[in-house]
Amino acid sequence: MGLKIDNLSGGYAGNNVLKNVTFEVPNGKIVALIGLNGAGKSTTINHVIGQRPPYAGSILLNDIDISQDPTAFKQQIAYIPEQPILYDELTLEEHLHFMLASHNIDDEQHWQRVLVLLAKFRLDNKLHWLPIHFSKGMRQKVMIVAAFMLNAPLLVVDEPFLGLDTLAQKDVVRLMEEQARQGNGVLLTTHLLGSAANYVDTFVVLKDGQVDFIGSPEALAQKHNLSLANLDDFFDLSQEGQNNGPN
Amino acid sequence: MVLTKLFWQRFATAQQRNIKYLRLLFNEHFVLFLLIAFGGVVLGYHSLLMVPASSDIWQNPWWKFAILAWLTIGLQLGHLVTYFRPADRLFLLGQDHFLMSRYLKQALGVSASFASVWQIIFFASVWPILIAVGFRQIFSLLLVLLFTVMYKIFLLVVERYQLLTTAKPLINDITLKILIPIIILASLFWLPLFVGLGIMLVALFLEWIIGRKLNAQANQVSAALAWPLAIQQAQTHEQAVLHFYALFAEVPQQAKSIKRRAYLDPLIAWLTPRRGGIQRLYLTQLIRNNEILPLILRLWLVAIIILINVHSAPTWLIAVIAAMTVYLVNFQIYPLFLQTRQVLWTQLVPITLANQEKVFNRLLFGFSLVSIVIIVAATVTTWSALRAGITGAGLMTIFCYYFYIPRLLKKGQ
């Protein structure tokens, strides 16, 4: 059980960006989707969160098919986008209440957990602020709190560390690990492979819209003769391989 | 891109945008409503001018105050239009002399032309009243026009000067834009004619001297542009233009303006008991949105004023005004649904689109009911007006709730 993507083909505006993408995010595991710009990471994420319907293939989360029942599918997802998106008119507190209500989560029972998260990201004294008063990093923290408070079966995180201070970055990693320990799946995209190798269970490498590799950080490092600490060099090697390829 | 043509290219782009929005605007039903209202005003003005010049009505001293106020309002219209964009600060950083001596000169020329047209329109609209209240000499009338045009150009020259890094505050805005023109125009109205004309001629001469001095400073090789100020000025102007179009049509690039209005939180909570529900999302957005809510309030106010004044008019007219009020309230709130849909969060939450549409339509229905209450309050003194108002507004509420809004919502998907 967990997220199952099977032979997914998709894209936008008629462009077939993804070709037969197949991978899984089992419950309790952290899977990182990696690849160079344009490889299809964001397109995959957009299909998973129901932003775009697949051209072909299926996306199932705990046996619920996104094409069959998108609302029940989305009930199981929490999402942290690369760019924070908030309602200009709602305060931080109102955003969180709206998110809880839309996921049919009991506000009263859950609020204590929300307050803990807010304190962790130093937002607890900004409950009545409007987004216009937040810095970019703070806006991103709001998205993070809103996602983690749901404790959803699948957490989808697109470039989680952009605009965050180091303290918040560490907290996000700890929270993702905690989600996995609780049996939830985590699907993230990142370019920071070296540090991701410390907490990710599986890397899915996308290249030109196709799955190029699936395996553990150790297997990825071994395949490219790299140590885990040097895994950030993977993109250099991958680019060289492409440049030296078919001429 | 040829730098010397930069202003004209931007001017052409801005005009294309204006044409696009004007086309949009004249497609909207609201404009039809405004044209009817404008026709009514013209008709009323025409009947006023039919009153003979010998009538007592023209002896009322308030006419002169009204003309003074009208011409002063006219002087506030038209600003220096530079079309500066935030990226100019980087890309045109070393072009200060070109910008001051060429670009802003072209900008000043165009702005002065448009502003002069405004002054002529404002003057022409009170010309018959000026004659009726005693200004019968064509020379003095033309001098009033010349003064307003020249003073407006002078204000634009000051506006350009204020974009210099070396600009020093001249006098405060209220004195410059309101008090000085009022004093000079008032001297013409209340002092002996030759004294008033003398003051006006002296004022024109002083304007010319100061304007020349400010021009010379702007054309100096050492003149540098205060970029943050220049960009802010350009953006404020652009937003004002978009705001005008947004009164009648949906404008995509318009920056949203939000006001917290915390004192209305209890009202939101009372109207939407479920904390965090999508009803509350829509209502909160509407109440804190600084574009839509004031527009609705103005619309209600205009409806009250019109209905009170036409209570003895034919009942069909009252019914049409009442129906139009309900229609416009629905029409003006509708873009909120599209704006909300554009926020990714709304697309991600597990609330079906059909449910979002249903809740939004119900919100509009609530606003239609409030409109009916207002219409009842405005027509309650006359039974026939009350009946016509309720009929018109009621039928339009049903039409909007069951047909018009569901169709619009489907179209907007």
Side-chain angles (χ1 to χ4, degrees):
Chain A
M1 297 272 268
L3 178 73
K4 282 185 184 170
I5 296 180
D6 190 23
N7 272 315
L8 173 69
S9 292
Y12 48 88
N15 283 336
N16 203 0
V17 179
L18 302 178
K19 293 139 202 153
N20 303 317
V21 170
T22 300
F23 69 90
E24 286 184 21
V25 182
N27 288 336
K29 298 289 178 196
I30 302 178
V31 175
L33 205 53
I34 60 172
L36 293 169
N37 292 338
K41 302 184 298 292
S42 296
T43 310
T44 309
I45 295 283
N46 278 328
H47 284 295
V48 170
I49 60 172
Q51 278 284 285
R52 294 193 185 105
Y55 297 161
S58 64
I59 304 172
L60 280 85
L61 180 54
N62 295 327
D63 289 336
I64 295 174
D65 190 330
I66 193 164
S67 334
Q68 301 297 318
D69 192 348
T71 305
F73 188 97
K74 285 181 188 177
Q75 286 275 6
Q76 302 188 78
I77 285 186
Y79 173 55
I80 305 174
E82 187 180 348
Q83 297 290 337
I85 311 135
L86 299 164
Y87 295 105
D88 297 332
E89 299 90 345
L90 297 197
T91 62
L92 165 57
E93 185 180 18
E94 287 163 345
H95 273 96
L96 301 178
H97 284 308
F98 176 55
M99 187 59 105
L100 288 172
S102 63
H103 280 78
N104 295 324
I105 294 173
D106 187 339
D107 214 294
E108 303 295 328
Q109 282 183 10
H110 229 74
W111 199 244
Q112 208 49 44
R113 176 180 162 78
V114 176
L115 290 177
V116 172
L117 282 167
L118 286 168
K120 195 184 279 286
F121 288 97
R122 296 176 299 286
L123 290 171
D124 47 338
N125 55 350
K126 297 175 179 70
L127 274 170
H128 302 294
W129 286 26
L130 289 171
I132 195 168
H133 301 121
F134 287 138
S135 67
K136 193 191 168 203
M138 283 158 78
R139 290 167 78 100
Q140 189 63 3
K141 285 177 183 175
V142 175
M143 304 303 294
I144 290 166
V145 171
F148 280 110
M149 73 178 185
L150 295 176
N151 206 10
L154 178 68
L155 177 69
V156 181
V157 194
D158 201 0
E159 293 290 345
F161 306 121
L162 286 181
L164 291 183
D165 54 59
T166 45
L167 215 60
Q169 288 184 15
K170 282 179 186 165
D171 281 332
V172 170
V173 170
R174 272 188 222 119
L175 284 166
M176 285 196 291
E177 288 173 329
E178 191 188 310
Q179 288 278 306
R181 273 198 300 276
Q182 288 174 357
N184 298 325
V186 179
L187 172 65
L188 76 142
T189 67
T190 184
H191 288 105
L192 308 172
L193 305 195
S195 54
N198 295 322
Y199 59 88
V200 160
D201 296 297
T202 306
F203 278 124
V204 176
V205 181
L206 282 181
K207 195 172 174 183
D208 299 329
Q210 289 175 307
V211 175
D212 190 50
F213 170 87
I214 298 180
S216 65
E218 291 77 13
L220 182 68
Q222 201 176 11
K223 187 183 170 193
H224 293 277
N225 291 324
L226 291 166
S227 66
L228 280 181
N230 291 334
L231 209 49
D232 282 326
D233 294 340
F234 162 75
F235 288 121
D236 294 335
L237 293 173
S238 159
Q239 187 61 23
E240 277 169 26
Q242 205 161 16
N243 292 342
N244 299 335
N247 279 325
Chain B
M1 182 194 285
V2 185
L3 213 52
T4 49
K5 290 182 180 166
L6 183 64
F7 178 80
W8 294 114
Q9 283 171 350
R10 290 185 175 182
F11 176 71
T13 311
Q15 298 324 306
Q16 280 166 6
R17 186 198 61 186
N18 283 341
I19 289 168
K20 189 180 117 191
Y21 283 134
L22 280 173
R23 211 180 294 139
L24 244 176
L25 204 145
F26 280 101
N27 277 335
E28 302 292 359
H29 309 162
F30 194 20
V31 171
L32 196 69
F33 179 65
L34 282 182
L35 284 177
I36 294 168
F38 183 69
V41 170
V42 170
L43 209 67
Y45 192 55
H46 182 255
S47 349
L48 176 72
L49 295 180
M50 289 292 106
V51 176
S54 55
S55 165
D56 282 351
I57 192 177
W58 300 116
Q59 307 311 316
N60 192 330
W62 284 106
W63 280 116
K64 286 182 179 174
F65 283 110
I67 294 170
L68 202 59
W70 181 251
L71 293 176
T72 312
I73 289 170
L75 280 171
Q76 313 311 312
L77 293 181
H79 285 278
L80 182 67
V81 187
T82 64
Y83 304 119
F84 280 137
R85 293 170 192 173
D88 289 347
R89 194 181 179 175
L90 182 70
F91 289 94
L92 298 175
L93 190 62
Q95 296 289 344
D96 285 75
H97 184 59
F98 157 75
L99 289 169
M100 296 309 297
S101 61
R102 292 287 295 272
Y103 188 98
L104 283 181
K105 202 173 174 183
Q106 293 163 339
L108 187 63
V110 168
S111 310
S113 311
F114 278 101
S116 300
V117 171
W118 275 117
Q119 302 317 307
I120 293 169
I121 292 172
F122 267 71
F123 176 78
S125 61
V126 287
W127 171 291
I129 300 179
L130 271 167
I131 292 173
V133 296
F135 279 81
R136 296 204 171 85
Q137 284 173 314
I138 189 85
F139 172 71
S140 57
L141 281 168
L142 288 178
L143 206 60
V144 171
L145 174 64
L146 180 69
F147 172 74
T148 51
V149 171
M150 294 309 289
Y151 197 78
K152 184 67 219 183
I153 294 172
F154 172 68
L155 289 178
L156 293 172
V157 170
V158 172
E159 214 175 320
R160 180 181 67 165
Y161 166 75
Q162 282 166 342
L163 298 182
L164 289 173
T165 49
T166 50
K168 293 184 183 74
L170 299 173
I171 38 176
N172 72 54
D173 265 11
I174 294 178
T175 309
L176 187 69
K177 292 178 178 170
I178 299 174
L179 292 181
I180 291 178
I182 282 185
I183 290 168
I184 293 168
L185 287 169
S187 71
L188 200 70
F189 289 173
W190 282 283
L191 294 179
L193 186 64
F194 70 92
V195 179
L197 291 179
I199 289 173
M200 198 171 276
L201 286 170
V202 170
L204 284 171
F205 180 68
L206 284 176
E207 271 174 36
W208 182 69
I209 297 279
I210 299 169
R212 263 177 69 94
K213 211 174 160 192
L214 297 182
N215 257 331
Q217 286 199 31
N219 288 323
Q220 278 175 1
V221 180
S222 59
L225 199 61
W227 275 112
L229 210 67
I231 289 167
Q232 191 194 7
Q233 191 268 2
Q235 288 187 326
T236 307
H237 178 264
E238 191 183 359
Q239 287 305 318
V241 172
L242 294 179
H243 184 80
F244 169 75
Y245 288 120
L247 290 177
F248 313 106
E250 206 196 326
V251 179
Q253 294 103 322
Q254 205 201 7
K256 222 194 274 179
S257 155
I258 308 296
K259 208 166 180 185
R260 176 71 175 83
R261 297 193 177 101
Y263 54 91
L264 290 175
D265 283 359
L267 178 73
I268 296 172
W270 180 66
L271 289 169
T272 54
R274 187 170 171 241
R275 191 158 62 174
I278 194 152
Q279 298 94 326
R280 187 173 288 192
L281 171 71
Y282 288 134
L283 190 65
T284 308
Q285 284 185 301
L286 186 62
I287 282 178
R288 293 180 191 163
N289 186 307
N290 228 8
E291 307 299 327
I292 302 176
L293 187 71
L295 193 63
I296 300 299
L297 295 177
R298 277 200 296 270
L299 199 61
W300 280 336
L301 187 70
V302 170
I304 290 171
I305 292 169
I306 294 176
L307 287 168
I308 288 174
N309 283 293
V310 299
H311 63 94
S312 52
T315 50
W316 67 264
L317 185 63
I318 294 166
V320 167
I321 292 168
M324 209 66 194
T325 305
V326 172
Y327 168 78
L328 289 175
V329 165
N330 279 270
F331 179 76
Q332 298 297 343
I333 300 176
Y334 165 70
L336 182 75
F337 180 79
L338 299 180
Q339 286 167 20
T340 310
R341 271 303 289 172
Q342 278 162 11
V343 179
L344 182 65
W345 209 324
T346 322
Q347 297 165 33
L348 295 177
V349 291
I351 302 170
T352 61
L353 185 58
N355 202 21
Q356 291 178 22
E357 288 174 357
K358 203 169 96 185
V359 170
F360 191 77
N361 196 12
R362 218 180 296 144
L363 175 84
L364 287 180
F365 184 70
F367 271 82
S368 296
L369 293 183
V370 176
S371 307
I372 293 177
V373 171
I374 286 168
I375 288 161
V376 167
T379 53
V380 75
T381 51
T382 314
W383 167 240
S384 59
L386 177 67
R387 200 176 47 194
I390 290 176
T391 310
L395 288 174
M396 184 54 83
T397 301
I398 292 167
F399 171 72
C400 284
Y401 185 68
Y402 288 105
F403 305 102
Y404 180 61
I405 295 299
R407 197 176 64 90
L408 266 188
L409 292 171
K410 286 276 171 292
K411 212 171 96 182
Q413 279 177 24

